[in-house]
Amino acid sequence: MSRIGKKPIKIPSGVKVEIRDGRLEVEGKTAKLSSPIPTGIRFELNGDTLTAIRESDEKPYPAFHGLARALAANCVHGVTEGFKKELDLIGIGYKAEAKPKAVTLSLGYSHPIEFPIPPGISVKVEKQNRNIQNYVATITVSGPDKQVVGQVAADIRSLRRPDAYKGKGLRYANEAVRLKAGKKGA
């Protein structure tokens, strides 16, 4: 039995949920999202609760049960509160500047990198109180779709991963970077 799949999803006021041929469409104040419904899974809307029900207990359906419920819960959370990921920029001489449709990053290469921001995603660059050596700024990626927010944050991080010796680069705010020992001199 899927414990996650059995949990009902509470629909807050102001959120509209529609179940249409293989898709679950969720509309709220901030956005409109849709999620696919896997075969063998159906949703029932009773008042302000949404429940995922699987047709049988055969092999692929228990996994799809939890997946469908998680995707639906992410849609509901996304249209009400949204998701965000924070990246810390660490390194002397590194810079980040947010523009309306792109982020300009100076990451120690011979040229600045212009990273385009997809529609529906917002990026802010700000200095916060972090006690990390050579801390420059925090880049906050936010939006209603959890998958797109995570992918944009991963793409930005891949531009300059944390260095194994000094820890310079882009890292997630809660990421612990293990530093290697440098050369041992005589």
Side-chain angles (χ1 to χ4, degrees), residues 61-157:
Y61 300 120
F64 290 159
H65 190 202
L67 170 74
R69 190 257 176 216
L71 291 175
N74 286 343
C75 287
V76 171
H77 186 272
V79 299
T80 55
E81 298 173 30
F83 294 96
K84 74 175 187 173
K85 288 262 190 183
E86 290 183 343
L87 295 153
D88 288 336
L89 179 59
I90 296 157
I92 296 173
Y94 290 3
K95 293 180 205 159
E97 180 186 350
K99 296 178 183 172
K101 295 189 178 189
V103 177
T104 305
L105 300 161
S106 297
L107 300 173
Y109 297 117
S110 62
H111 59 284
I113 298 170
E114 191 88 10
F115 186 84
I117 301 171
I121 299 294
S122 66
V123 176
K124 290 190 305 187
V125 177
E126 57 193 6
K127 182 123 171 113
Q128 296 181 349
N129 291 334
R130 306 260 192 210
N131 50 354
I132 304 171
Q133 188 177 5
N134 299 329
Y135 169 77
V136 176
T138 297
I139 301 169
T140 305
V141 180
S142 58
D145 193 350
K146 185 176 186 177
Q147 180 182 357
V148 176
V149 168
Q151 187 62 51
V152 169
D155 290 343
I156 291 174
R157 182 183 179 273

Side-chain angles (χ1 to χ4, degrees), residues 43-59:
F43 281 96
E44 284 186 1
L45 184 62
N46 298 326
D48 65 341
T49 59
L50 183 67
T51 310
I53 300 167
R54 69 170 171 243
E55 301 297 327
S56 86
D57 290 336
E58 295 300 314
K59 185 65 174 190

